[in-house]
Amino acid sequence: MIRLVGILTGLVFAFVALLAFVTGAYTFFTEPTEETAEHAFHMEAHLPTGGYTFDGLAPQWDVAQLQRGYKVYKEVCSACHSMNHVAFRDLEQLGYSEAQVKAEAAAWQVPGIDPVTGEANLRPGLPTDYFPAPYANNTAAAAANNNAIPPDLSLMTKARHHGTAYVYSLLTGYRDPNSYTNEEGETLAQAFPDSMPGTGLHFNPWFANLNLAMAPPLHTAGQVTYDDGTEATVQQMSADVAAFLTWTAEPSLVDRVRLGWMVMGFLIFLTILAYLAKKSVWSQLKTRRDD
């Protein structure tokens, strides 16, 4: 009796699951999809003209670009965004000397403990410290940014699809919703008036829901002065900081690809060696059989 009840119960669940699948499939194929503002205006991320040196089959870091990107982060992005997974000593990988890293770390104020009183304080950073967060906690971050918490940027390019292109497109993608049009030539206000940016929001067709709480962080040419004399256009600064954030997310990217090529070469060599060994062994067996 118990076995029969179990079988009947399983059949009921199987029938319900099959019915739900058939109903969902029928709805999917028969009901038209309602067009949304995100679908009509959202744009695919793109890279700057010329791309990056770390793309492709033989990647390499452009150290000068990474240093420029760090400068953009330090002078612009760090006012709101943390980088909790990157230590000051990691900057040595960008070509900075040990003395430069110490000086750079000391220029930042990091949370510490007074050894005399035991109270929390701020002290100059050490190379072993990680980049400090600009806010004490998420509550303070939200209060200072229109109730939006700026995300940590350490792994941002790994957390987003086509992360490097996403960061570059987002930073250069702020538009006027009254002038930016879709394929039908309609502005956002004409096509989807309810999707217009609200108070404190900014229209950006490269952002998932089009409306972004972050104001354009890079908005003026020369906002950052590069040490190597490179012209700091908005596009250049965006490309540089996107490259820098690619490095923070995956500093071993270039070494990993190079190691991959070495492994592939070894496997190809091993395959050829195994094939020749097989030919040699079977040729001897064939000779013996013929004899």
Side-chain angles (χ1 to χ4, degrees):
M1 183 65 180
I2 295 177
R3 182 179 299 179
L4 179 61
V5 172
I7 294 174
L8 291 176
T9 303
L11 290 174
V12 170
F13 276 108
F15 174 75
V16 171
L18 179 62
L19 181 63
F21 173 78
V22 172
T23 303
Y26 176 79
T27 302
F28 176 80
F29 286 108
T30 57
E31 292 188 4
T33 302
E34 182 180 356
E35 186 179 39
T36 62
E38 290 84 354
H39 177 267
F41 286 85
H42 182 68
M43 300 292 292
E44 290 297 325
H46 63 285
L47 292 173
T49 303
Y52 288 101
T53 59
F54 52 80
D55 285 332
L57 300 178
Q60 59 182 351
W61 294 118
D62 183 342
V63 174
Q65 182 175 53
L66 296 182
Q67 290 185 358
R68 293 196 302 268
Y70 168 63
K71 192 175 182 68
V72 174
Y73 168 77
K74 177 183 177 181
E75 297 187 8
V76 180
C77 307
S78 64
C80 298
H81 294 275
S82 60
M83 204 159 57
N84 295 330
H85 300 287
V86 182
F88 291 111
R89 61 185 174 186
D90 294 332
L91 295 177
E92 289 189 27
Q93 299 178 37
L94 302 188
Y96 294 106
S97 66
E98 183 177 350
Q100 288 175 316
V101 170
K102 288 183 178 180
E104 190 64 35
W108 293 72
Q109 293 292 307
V110 301
I113 300 295
D114 190 310
V116 177
T117 64
E119 296 180 352
N121 63 3
L122 291 176
R123 60 170 175 79
L126 299 173
T128 53
D129 291 321
Y130 287 79
F131 280 86
Y135 303 105
N137 50 46
N138 287 342
T139 301
N145 292 277
N146 195 29
N147 290 325
I149 300 174
D152 182 85
L153 296 183
S154 306
L155 306 175
M156 182 54 65
T157 59
K158 296 290 288 183
R160 298 291 184 270
H161 185 58
H162 296 311
T164 307
Y166 168 81
V167 171
Y168 173 78
S169 300
L170 189 74
L171 292 175
T172 59
Y174 289 88
R175 299 288 188 272
D176 180 0
N178 296 312
S179 61
Y180 190 76
T181 59
N182 59 13
E183 295 179 355
E184 286 72 31
E186 298 175 311
T187 65
L188 183 65
Q190 293 171 333
F192 301 94
D194 293 338
S195 297
M196 286 289 289
T199 303
L201 297 178
H202 307 271
F203 177 68
N204 193 315
W206 279 269
F207 191 62
N209 66 2
L210 307 181
N211 298 323
L212 186 59
M214 178 177 68
L218 302 174
H219 49 78
T220 306
Q223 194 171 342
V224 172
T225 302
Y226 286 139
D227 298 330
D228 61 3
T230 301
E231 183 180 1
T233 63
V234 172
Q235 289 73 22
Q236 183 67 58
M237 291 185 291
S238 301
D240 292 341
V241 76
F244 172 70
L245 293 179
T246 301
W247 171 80
T248 64
E250 196 171 8
S252 62
L253 184 150
V254 170
D255 293 335
R256 177 174 54 81
V257 174
R258 290 175 179 172
L259 179 61
W261 280 116
M262 293 174 61
V263 171
M264 288 295 295
F266 174 75
L267 291 177
I268 292 173
F269 170 75
L270 195 63
T271 301
I272 295 173
L273 193 64
Y275 174 76
L276 294 176
K278 175 258 183 187
K279 291 280 288 184
S280 176
V281 171
W282 280 100
S283 64
Q284 295 177 17
L285 292 176
K286 184 178 180 181
T287 301
R288 293 178 182 177
R289 186 183 63 181
D290 293 341
D291 292 343

